[in-house]
């Protein structure tokens, strides 16, 4: 632990986000977690922030009905992060067998795990059904498999079907799952599809849930809430047709968008819950348990990445800073910069925020292709060798999407907690992969 002088009036956790990042960065430099030779790049997850975000999620869905908030593991699949979310009372949504294994390793009990892969193998289904993990089927063929595995026996697992309300997409095609041709779920509006699905619920009394996930970043709240309303309307219809309350749970997926342009909170969980109450009132009438699967909105704002500037130069009259953070840690931003822009903050070598007149410059990564840029023509105080750059909002979908091109190693990720006097302590979430551990090419 490092004791930093307590900021004037407010202790660490109460600092504004940018001041808090600066505070943590200075402590990380002091404690050698960032070092110009030995630790040129690192990630940080603010566990105090995570606890506050999870508390706001629980407040937005106070229950009754019963609510399980299953964190979408793909957003940050590091086991110590998942374990922290488990301690905070969340569940875990796994989209692959690998994420299931991580959920189990993080200590989630089976009744708090949801398994959502669109490509579940027979072995994976057998494991999930035996363990009592909730399963959402993605297709009619998968339903047939599940029926065969269950035989005449009862289901230990809550089992649902992912429905696609086919409402259209948001602003990022790759993130929009409720489109007409989406690969996910069973379409609700294709000719004959809804009737066939109603018949499946009639034939399989173990089908007790309806699941939907309308999309992620780029989908407005309104679109997501309308998609959930379609799923709830379908569940209401099943129960009405069958004359019994067979569907007892609605899994509303995740998808609350995050504002990557600033530190002000975008729409919160409370705003989303209000939109759901407006569009799908029967969701809250007490007849359904609710499962949520938020990922980005739980973690994005609670993590940042920091890297040293190794060199600077000018090209075509514009400054370029070559840093140690590029495509290996900001894969989506580098390959799809218009969909995934990140803010960049300039800091001095000791971690203090750098000020100075804004200068338009490129901020590049270390990889060997010209497009390895964190930002083009971005106005920032002019970076110099030895400075640090900070990428805020990288707590979700950055540490879990490493890219191994150029044999660039995965950096360390550190958990951060701040004491009442502003003292910062770090715990290792993931050790740095050292280049020497990578298999060296022969010849
Ligand atoms: C990706 C995904 C989520 C999480 O989405 P976020 O935008 O991170 O909240 C939830 N459920 C399913 C099925 C997903 O594919």
């Amino acid at each position: 632990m490092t004791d930093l002088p307590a900021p004037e009036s407010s202790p660490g956790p109460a600092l504004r986000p940018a001041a808090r990042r600066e505070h943590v960065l200075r402590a990380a430099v002091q404690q050698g977690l960032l070092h110009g030779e030995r630790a040129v790049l690192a990630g940080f997850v603010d566990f105090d922030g995570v606890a506050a975000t999870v508390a706001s999620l629980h407040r937005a869905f106070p229950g009754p009905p019963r609510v399980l908030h299953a964190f979408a593991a793909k957003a940050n699949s590091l086991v110590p992060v998942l374990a922290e979310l488990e301690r905070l009372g969340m569940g875990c949504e796994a989209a692959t067998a690998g994420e299931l294994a991580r959920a189990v390793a993080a200590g989630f009990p089976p009744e708090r795990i949801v398994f959502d892969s669109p490509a579940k193998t027979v072995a994976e289904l057998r494991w999930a059904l035996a363990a009592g993990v909730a399963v959402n089927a993605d297709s009619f063929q998968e339903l047939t498999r599940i029926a065969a595995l269950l035989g005449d026996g009862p289901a230990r697992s809550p089992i649902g079907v992912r429905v696609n309300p086919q409402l259209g997409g948001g602003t990022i095609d790759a993130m929009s799952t409720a489109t007409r041709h989406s690969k996910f779920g069973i379409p609700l509006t294709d000719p004959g599809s809804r009737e066939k699905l109603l018949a499946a619920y009639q034939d399989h009394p173990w089908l007790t849930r309806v699941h939907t996930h309308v999309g992620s970043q780029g989908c407005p709240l309104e679109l997501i809430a309308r998609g959930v309303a379609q799923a709830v309307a379908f569940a209401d219809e099943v129960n009405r047709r069958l004359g019994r309350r067979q569907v007892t749970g609605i899994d509303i997926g995740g998808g609350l968008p995050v504002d990557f342009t600033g530190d002000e909170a975008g729409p919160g969980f409370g705003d989303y819950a209000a939109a759901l109450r407006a569009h799908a009132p029967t969701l809250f009438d007490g007849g359904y348990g609710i499962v949520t699967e938020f990922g980005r909105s739980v973690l994005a704002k609670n993590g940042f990445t920091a890297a040293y500037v190794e060199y600077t130069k000018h090209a075509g009259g514009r400054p370029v800073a070559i840093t140690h953070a590029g495509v290996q840690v900001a894969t989506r931003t580098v390959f799809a910069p218009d969909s995934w822009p990140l803010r960049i903050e300039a800091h001095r070598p000791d971690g203090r925020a750098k000020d100075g007149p804004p200068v338009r410059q490129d901020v590049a990564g270390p990889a060997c292709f010209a497009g390895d840029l964190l930002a083009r023509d971005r106005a920032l105080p002019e970076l110099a060798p030895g400075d640090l750059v900070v990428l805020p909002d990288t707590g979700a979908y950055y540490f879990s999407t490493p890219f191994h091109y150029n044999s660039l190693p995965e950096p360390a990720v550190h958990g951060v907690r701040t004491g009442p006097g502003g003292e910062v302590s770090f715990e290792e979430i993931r050790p740095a992969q050292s280049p020497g551990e990578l298999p060296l090419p022969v010849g």
Side-chain angles (χ1 to χ4, degrees):
M1 297 227 305
T2 303
D3 281 304
L4 289 176
E8 268 116 81
S9 52
S10 52
L15 287 175
R16 315 238 351 125
R20 178 153 172 70
R21 281 191 291 278
E22 180 180 14
H23 187 66
V24 171
L25 198 66
R26 294 182 66 178
V29 172
Q30 277 185 20
Q31 297 184 33
L33 301 181
L34 283 165
H35 184 278
E37 291 286 340
R38 295 187 299 276
V40 293
L41 170 67
F44 297 88
V45 175
D46 177 357
F47 282 141
D48 303 319
V50 171
T53 305
V54 172
S56 78
L57 175 55
H58 281 127
R59 275 197 306 276
F61 293 83
R66 282 169 297 111
V67 183
L68 172 68
H69 295 295
F71 175 71
K74 69 179 190 279
N76 190 324
S77 50
L78 300 172
V79 171
V81 173
L82 297 178
E84 184 73 11
L85 295 169
E86 193 282 324
R87 284 190 288 274
L88 293 170
M90 289 194 78
C92 189
E93 185 263 354
T96 63
E99 289 176 2
L100 267 184
R102 284 166 180 260
V104 171
F108 287 99
E111 62 274 14
R112 277 201 268 150
I113 302 176
V114 179
F115 185 30
D116 274 347
S117 160
K120 303 175 198 80
T121 66
V122 171
E124 289 165 6
L125 281 171
R126 190 178 288 123
W127 183 90
L129 294 171
V133 161
V135 172
N136 288 316
D138 193 69
S139 64
F140 285 114
Q141 290 179 358
E142 188 184 336
L143 272 183
T144 306
R145 264 190 196 177
I146 292 172
L149 286 168
L150 288 176
D152 294 327
R156 280 187 68 189
S157 299
I159 303 173
V161 174
R162 177 167 181 172
V163 298
N164 173 6
Q166 295 178 295
L167 286 175
T171 57
I172 308 177
D173 277 352
M175 295 292 117
S176 299
T177 52
T179 55
R180 182 157 165 245
H181 297 291
S182 169
K183 76 167 187 176
F184 287 112
I186 293 182
L188 283 184
T189 65
D190 279 6
S193 188
R194 190 183 185 97
E195 280 304 316
K196 190 174 166 192
L197 190 56
L198 283 163
Y201 273 81
Q202 176 148 33
D203 292 346
H204 302 310
W206 38 262
L207 274 179
T208 57
R209 279 191 185 168
V210 173
H211 172 224
T212 196
H213 171 67
V214 174
S216 294
Q217 192 67 17
C219 293
L221 275 194
E222 166 87 12
L223 178 74
I224 307 176
R226 282 197 291 124
V228 172
Q230 292 297 318
V232 175
F234 178 78
D236 290 344
E237 185 177 351
V238 169
N239 289 345
R240 212 169 37 243
R241 284 258 198 124
L242 301 184
R244 58 172 188 267
R245 193 128 205 146
Q246 178 170 315
V247 177
T248 54
I250 311 273
D251 182 336
I252 67 171
L256 186 70
V258 164
D259 180 359
F260 284 93
T261 65
D263 278 329
E264 286 66 43
F269 294 114
D271 301 312
Y272 182 43
L276 287 173
R277 281 178 201 281
H279 286 274
T282 57
L283 176 61
F284 296 97
D285 71 6
Y288 298 115
I290 299 175
V291 179
T292 74
E293 303 174 344
F294 296 108
R296 183 174 289 104
S297 49
V298 178
L299 256 292
K301 292 275 174 197
N302 292 314
F304 70 86
T305 303
Y308 280 97
V309 176
E310 192 68 46
Y311 298 107
T312 58
K313 61 173 77 166
H314 279 73
R318 194 154 84 201
V320 182
I322 310 288
T323 79
H324 286 283
V327 71
Q328 84 277 37
V329 286
T331 314
R332 285 179 170 177
T333 297
V334 168
F335 285 128
D338 296 335
S339 296
W340 301 106
L342 282 173
R343 290 183 287 154
I344 297 178
E345 293 170 342
H347 290 257
R348 297 182 182 283
D350 65 358
R352 274 179 304 145
K354 187 169 191 176
D355 40 37
V359 173
R360 303 197 76 88
Q361 55 199 303
D362 288 358
V363 183
C368 266
F369 65 102
D372 187 25
L373 294 169
L374 297 171
R376 287 178 175 79
D377 203 18
R378 180 76 59 91
L380 289 172
E382 187 163 357
L383 291 164
D387 282 347
L388 283 156
V389 290
V390 165
L391 311 176
D393 309 330
T394 47
Y397 297 100
Y398 284 86
F399 307 144
S400 59
T401 51
F403 186 62
H404 292 138
Y405 180 63
N406 268 165
S407 303
L408 286 162
E410 291 179 28
V413 179
H414 306 284
V416 185
R417 296 182 207 272
T418 309
E423 65 280 10
V424 179
S425 59
F426 295 99
E427 52 204 81
E428 185 176 271
I429 291 177
R430 180 179 75 190
Q433 188 184 23
S434 91
E437 284 167 13
L438 294 168
L440 293 172
V442 180

